[in-house]
Amino acid sequence: YIQTLDHSSKEGKIVLIPSNSQMDNHIEIYNDSFFTYVGTLMLPPFPNSNQNGYRFFRSHGKYLFFDASEEHFHVIVQGSDQKYAIITIPMSLAVEYVSN
């Protein structure tokens, strides 16, 4: 199942976050022709500061979408501490750093 996905016709890519709670810290990237798998990109940990310094929580991808140029996509993530953030990822880097 799919939590959220978006398509960039300019980049020829589909990006998605699986709905499985064990995989919602991954972004899967596919070519739009024949839905061929490109690879997986891990979301970074979610930082939170307190009086003892920083703690890092697992990021849970909630929504993602391309910007108007279709060269970047934005991911709304939720940390295990229930706070939210937005991560912006350039497609050029996403495709370069995916793991197969």
Side-chain angles (χ1 to χ4, degrees):
Y1 297 104
I2 297 170
Q3 171 81 15
T4 182
L5 72 78
D6 202 4
H7 172 252
S8 168
S9 55
K10 179 179 179 180
E11 297 289 329
K13 299 288 186 265
I14 297 168
V15 293
L16 66 85
I17 297 172
S19 63
N20 178 332
S21 63
Q22 298 303 312
M23 294 292 290
D24 67 356
N25 65 335
H26 294 74
I27 297 169
E28 295 179 3
I29 302 174
Y30 295 85
N31 287 317
D32 63 0
S33 57
F34 305 108
F35 201 64
T36 52
Y37 179 74
V38 174
T40 300
L41 185 67
M42 294 282 296
L43 291 171
F46 193 98
N48 186 21
S49 63
N50 60 26
Q51 65 271 19
N52 298 324
Y54 279 96
R55 293 181 56 203
F56 291 89
F57 296 93
R58 182 172 182 247
S59 292
H60 301 276
K62 296 299 180 182
Y63 305 100
L64 58 76
F65 53 93
F66 281 96
D67 63 9
S69 73
E70 297 185 11
E71 294 175 359
H72 303 85
F73 62 94
H74 308 282
V75 184
I76 299 174
V77 297
Q78 181 181 21
S80 298
D81 65 345
Q82 303 301 311
K83 294 184 180 178
Y84 290 87
I86 297 176
I87 300 170
T88 299
I89 302 171
M91 270 309 292
S92 58
L93 288 177
V95 172
E96 184 177 337
Y97 290 105
V98 295
S99 61
N100 297 341

